[in-house]
Amino acid sequence: MDIQLSQCFIAVEDHDQALAFYRDALGLEVRDDVEFEGMRWVTVGSPSQPEVDIVLEPPLADPNASPADRKAMAELLAKGMLRGIIFRTDDCDATFERVRAAGGEVLQEPIDQPYGVRDCAFRDPSGNMLRFNQSRAR
């Protein structure tokens, strides 16, 4: 039995801001842009991983969610309390410079971690944490 990752989801407050970051700053390609019942989903992904999609979705992608639940999710997103994504890169320092030059909010400059990677971290426009890892030779 073989199981592979197909999609992962990131909550975003503003899809146009998210697109400017994920497409323009990170260089991901836009694969789909769908609106349904007043909500929007944008799918992006790395050209080198056509089988893996990142879906940029509303903070609470449920048309039946209560206003209180929508407010709670928006507050968690604004605080940066929702999970983000860890990307793999072959050059952490170059990736850091590219994302910083594009206006990414720096959380951590590139450093060597004791668990075998060199990494850096940013927040996307919605507050999600994104890490960029480069494997180190042991």
Side-chain angles (χ1 to χ4, degrees), residues 29 40 44 76 135:
E29 63 187 12
R40 183 178 178 193
V44 297
L76 288 172
S135 294

Tab-separated table of all heavy atoms in Angstrom, residues 29 40 44 76 135:
chain	number	residue	atom	x	y	z
A	29	GLU	N	3.165	28.177	-8.454
A	29	GLU	CA	2.241	28.373	-9.567
A	29	GLU	C	0.803	28.268	-9.076
A	29	GLU	O	0.504	27.515	-8.151
A	29	GLU	CB	2.506	27.363	-10.680
A	29	GLU	CG	2.288	25.921	-10.279
A	29	GLU	CD	2.728	24.935	-11.359
A	29	GLU	OE1	3.409	25.337	-12.322
A	29	GLU	OE2	2.385	23.752	-11.222
A	40	ARG	N	-13.838	31.415	-1.240
A	40	ARG	CA	-12.883	31.247	-2.327
A	40	ARG	C	-11.765	30.307	-1.892
A	40	ARG	O	-11.286	30.373	-0.762
A	40	ARG	CB	-12.298	32.623	-2.682
A	40	ARG	CG	-11.332	32.637	-3.832
A	40	ARG	CD	-10.869	34.053	-4.102
A	40	ARG	NE	-9.889	34.113	-5.172
A	40	ARG	CZ	-9.144	35.175	-5.440
A	40	ARG	NH1	-9.287	36.277	-4.715
A	40	ARG	NH2	-8.276	35.158	-6.423
A	44	VAL	N	-2.292	26.448	-5.060
A	44	VAL	CA	-0.956	26.765	-5.556
A	44	VAL	C	-0.060	25.553	-5.323
A	44	VAL	O	-0.410	24.641	-4.574
A	44	VAL	CB	-0.364	28.016	-4.859
A	44	VAL	CG1	-1.193	29.265	-5.159
A	44	VAL	CG2	-0.222	27.809	-3.359
A	76	LEU	N	-7.890	33.462	15.861
A	76	LEU	CA	-6.746	32.551	15.936
A	76	LEU	C	-5.777	32.791	14.781
A	76	LEU	O	-4.556	32.796	14.966
A	76	LEU	CB	-7.214	31.098	15.934
A	76	LEU	CG	-7.894	30.613	17.205
A	76	LEU	CD1	-8.486	29.218	16.977
A	76	LEU	CD2	-6.925	30.596	18.367
A	135	SER	N	18.518	20.565	4.203
A	135	SER	CA	19.240	19.481	4.872
A	135	SER	C	20.718	19.786	4.893
A	135	SER	O	21.266	20.337	3.932
A	135	SER	CB	19.011	18.155	4.153
A	135	SER	OG	17.656	17.778	4.275
